[in-house]
Amino acid sequence: MFNLVKGTHDVILEEAEKYSYIEQILQNTAQIFNYKEFRTPIIEHSELFARSVGDSSDIVRKEMYTFEDKGGRNITLRPEVTAGIVRSMVNAKLFALQDYPVKAYYTGPCFRYERPQQGRYRQFNQFGVECIGITSPHRDAEVISMGYDSLIFLGFKDVTLKINTLGDDESRENYKKALKEYFGKHLENMCSDCKERYELNVLRILDCKVPEDQEIVKNAPKISDFLSENAKNSFETIKRDLDFLGIPYEVDESLVRGLDYYSGVVFEFHYVSSKGKSYGAIGAGGHYGKLVAEVGGPEVEGCGYAFGIERLASVMNDDNLFEDLSDNVDIYLMPLGERANAASLGIANYLRVSGYRCEICLENKGMSQMFKKAERRNALYAIIIGDNELENDEYVIKNLASQEQFKVSSDDLLKTFDELLNFEGKKETECCEGDCCCGDDSKCDSDNDHEENCDENKSCCCKNK
Ligand code: HAM
């Protein structure tokens, strides 16, 4: 037996299906905003993260999995994906065309040597987006709205969106001066980390989690008093856009984010499940002004965010947001004997390519054991295939809920399941043979709009086409 490495976890069975479900919805959302998929390596040169995430961040100072490879290179398992995405865009010369914005989405594992706790792992999965070439606060608002929409598509209702601005360079320099002056007076009573942060990047002190230090942080100067006219206007525009889109938000001036590349707007999505549980921010991001240039690209700005899949899955589990996920086997095939085993492979294949989830019992079990297995897999129907059935070219179909059973010829097999499992409506079929394209007038909603494939004169109820 080998134990899991501390801070890691297996994602298996239903949990893995839930992750795929989440990723699929996040991906669909990114695609309707016309983002394109990027897959970048999990290992990068350590220097990339020192430059981007920043030498003064906790991530780079304390949390990176860094090692020297056999060629003497200093390598890091990515603690986040943004830096690698930007590097890939620079390497692929995507900015040479100046056809902005360049838009990427990605999903995959990240690694941070943090203290493991609820919602915090050392290996975790992110789904993120980056929109690069941002010249307008409206773009930032669009990126934030895409994050919000993703959560709505996942079924979230009461998401808290916290936003803040870190201003432009001028605002931040003035703000940092004021913070230095303020924290300078309290530093001797603060933790050793804060003393280091004071020297490295005083903004990081605002992130300190030590309760006594948080009391001091509470009374620190606020960025809003140091914003230049430009920075103020940008932030106001983003807020107005969010209002216009009906996206609720809270301005939280203590939000500074733990990565050094941010400038301008920063944001986090929070959610407390009905069980009262919160697992930290479920997603977060912001605008970055210098990152692209820092990684060797042109002086263009960007904005993006990443969701933590583990945290999304945890709150969605708590609030039953996965209720549509069904792992029913549609049809369980029960072959009796060697000839039937081979035949069932062909029958299952035929049904699978038509979209049915099938499983075959190929372990030469008796009937009662096969029925138990079918039940454990939540199968809806069983097909019993024995020598007689093969001889007569017909199979016994059993409804496992009602226990009714009947015989069907091999020619009618698919048609029968299409009827039994009401699959017809899901498939693209020849349209409007009857009054309604699905052939079942009782399901018709006469107010439905006419569908493209339909006979001109008929309204079509088949919404799934
Ligand atoms: P981040 O806030 O460090 O931002 O991470 C984004 C999300 O990843 C968090 O909101 C959280 O849901 C999840 N996460 C972070 N650390 C852990 C952990 N140890 N265990 C489980 N989940 C975790 C970034 O990584 C930025 N790259 C986001 C971004 C994209 N900004 C601009 N573009």
Side-chain angles (χ1 to χ4, degrees):
M1 284 278 283
F2 291 97
N3 293 329
L4 277 168
V5 173
K6 187 172 176 186
T8 66
H9 63 125
D10 293 319
V11 183
I12 60 170
L13 300 169
E14 297 87 17
E15 195 65 7
E17 281 191 20
K18 289 175 179 175
Y19 277 43
S20 299
Y21 170 82
I22 293 174
E23 286 163 4
Q24 190 64 56
I25 290 184
L26 296 177
Q27 199 169 317
N28 290 347
T29 314
Q31 283 169 352
I32 56 173
F33 280 77
N34 201 27
Y35 281 64
K36 304 293 178 203
E37 184 170 17
F38 279 54
R39 296 180 190 223
T40 60
I42 286 169
I43 51 174
E44 297 275 2
H45 291 287
S46 305
E47 178 60 15
L48 174 69
F49 301 112
R51 285 265 192 113
S52 55
V53 176
D55 281 328
S56 79
S57 66
D58 279 3
I59 295 178
V60 171
R61 282 172 56 231
K62 304 186 206 158
E63 295 171 0
M64 295 209 304
Y65 281 88
T66 294
F67 60 96
E68 196 171 285
D69 74 3
K70 290 188 171 63
R73 299 169 196 90
N74 199 297
I75 301 293
T76 290
L77 301 187
R78 64 183 182 199
E80 59 105 54
V81 195
T82 309
I85 294 291
V86 173
R87 181 206 47 69
S88 77
M89 291 174 173
V90 172
N91 288 13
K93 300 192 170 50
L94 297 190
F95 300 120
L97 299 171
Q98 296 192 6
D99 182 14
Y100 299 129
V102 180
K103 302 199 284 192
Y105 73 81
Y106 51 85
T107 182
C110 299
F111 304 82
R112 295 183 193 174
Y113 193 81
E114 296 193 80
R115 196 164 60 77
Q117 50 189 288
Q118 188 168 272
R120 197 172 289 287
Y121 299 93
R122 288 182 176 168
Q123 178 174 341
F124 58 98
N125 292 280
Q126 285 191 343
F127 177 94
V129 304
E130 310 299 338
C131 178
I132 299 188
I134 301 260
T135 47
S136 142
H138 298 298
R139 271 278 178 229
D140 289 335
E142 188 192 37
V143 170
I144 300 172
S145 77
M146 177 162 84
Y148 185 82
D149 287 351
S150 306
L151 292 170
I152 298 297
F153 292 141
L154 282 169
F156 284 86
K157 293 209 170 66
D158 301 311
V159 175
T160 304
L161 165 62
K162 296 185 181 182
I163 61 170
N164 190 24
T165 180
L166 300 178
D168 50 18
D169 289 353
E170 180 197 336
S171 322
R172 238 177 0 272
E173 279 321 305
N174 291 335
Y175 183 43
K176 279 183 179 175
K177 266 189 215 143
L179 286 179
K180 277 228 155 187
E181 204 181 313
Y182 172 78
F183 285 121
K185 292 184 207 142
H186 296 89
L187 208 56
E188 61 187 70
N189 303 320
M190 300 185 83
C191 70
S192 56
D193 266 350
C194 279
K195 289 184 178 114
E196 256 183 78
R197 288 170 182 140
Y198 183 83
E199 298 304 333
L200 290 170
N201 179 356
V202 68
L203 269 177
R204 293 271 77 83
I205 296 185
L206 300 176
D207 254 353
C208 181
K209 301 285 177 292
V210 176
E212 293 78 15
D213 291 356
Q214 281 181 341
E215 281 306 306
I216 300 172
V217 167
K218 246 189 222 162
N219 298 317
K222 301 278 180 272
I223 180 84
S224 52
D225 294 326
F226 297 86
L227 293 178
S228 66
E229 231 17 66
N230 245 346
K232 222 182 264 176
N233 287 341
S234 282
F235 195 43
E236 286 308 315
T237 304
I238 293 169
K239 288 193 286 179
R240 257 199 319 275
D241 285 348
L242 295 177
D243 289 335
F244 174 70
L245 292 169
I247 296 176
Y249 59 86
E250 289 171 11
V251 176
D252 177 351
E253 288 211 48
S254 67
L255 186 68
V256 286
R257 310 272 303 120
L259 302 95
D260 285 355
Y261 50 64
Y262 292 117
S263 54
V265 70
V266 286
F267 53 94
E268 287 185 353
F269 295 103
H270 289 257
Y271 182 77
V272 181
S273 75
S274 53
K275 293 186 177 163
K277 279 194 186 166
S278 148
Y279 301 84
I282 48 178
H287 181 104
Y288 37 87
K290 298 263 162 56
L291 175 62
V292 182
E294 202 61 63
V295 173
E299 295 210 342
V300 289
E301 310 196 5
C303 186
Y305 59 76
F307 286 113
I309 305 293
E310 281 73 7
R311 294 188 189 179
L312 284 174
S314 297
V315 285
M316 288 175 68
N317 259 334
D318 286 356
D319 283 5
N320 291 325
L321 298 184
F322 288 116
E323 61 197 354
D324 287 333
L325 278 187
S326 137
D327 64 348
N328 281 350
V329 166
D330 295 313
I331 303 159
Y332 195 76
L333 287 89
M334 301 181 172
L336 295 162
E338 203 37 41
R339 229 179 112 211
N341 277 345
S344 65
L345 290 173
I347 300 168
N349 228 13
Y350 174 55
L351 294 167
R352 284 173 184 144
V353 294
S354 302
Y356 292 107
R357 192 189 290 217
C358 299
E359 206 177 308
I360 320 172
C361 180
L362 288 170
E363 286 78 27
N364 296 325
K365 300 280 181 201
M367 286 295 273
S368 68
Q369 276 176 305
M370 288 202 279
F371 276 118
K372 277 193 192 128
K373 281 181 137 223
E375 196 181 324
R376 279 202 293 275
R377 277 155 184 73
N378 293 326
L380 302 174
Y381 286 90
I383 308 182
I384 301 160
I385 311 153
D387 285 344
N388 273 349
E389 282 76 16
L390 290 175
E391 221 56 71
N392 300 329
D393 214 11
E394 59 179 16
Y395 311 114
V396 176
I397 294 180
K398 181 160 184 168
N399 179 327
L400 293 170
S402 68
Q403 300 296 311
E404 276 170 84
Q405 65 177 53
F406 51 93
K407 286 187 175 174
V408 169
S409 74
S410 63
D411 285 347
D412 289 339
L413 194 64
L414 187 58
K415 197 172 111 228
T416 305
F417 278 115
D418 283 349
E419 279 161 18
L420 289 172
L421 291 164
N422 199 15
F423 200 61
E424 197 67 1
K426 288 191 210 164
K427 294 197 291 183
E428 191 130 5
T429 53
E430 7 29 288
C431 247
C432 292
E433 284 297 316
D435 281 343
C436 165
C437 69
C438 80
D440 181 354
D441 284 332
S442 64
K443 291 196 203 119
C444 241
D445 174 350
S446 52
D447 293 326
N448 275 340
D449 284 335
H450 177 78
E451 293 270 348
E452 243 175 47
N453 287 349
C454 271
D455 181 313
E456 290 287 316
N457 304 318
K458 291 162 187 159
S459 66
C460 175
C461 70
C462 182
K463 290 180 190 155
N464 294 317
K465 255 192 309 97

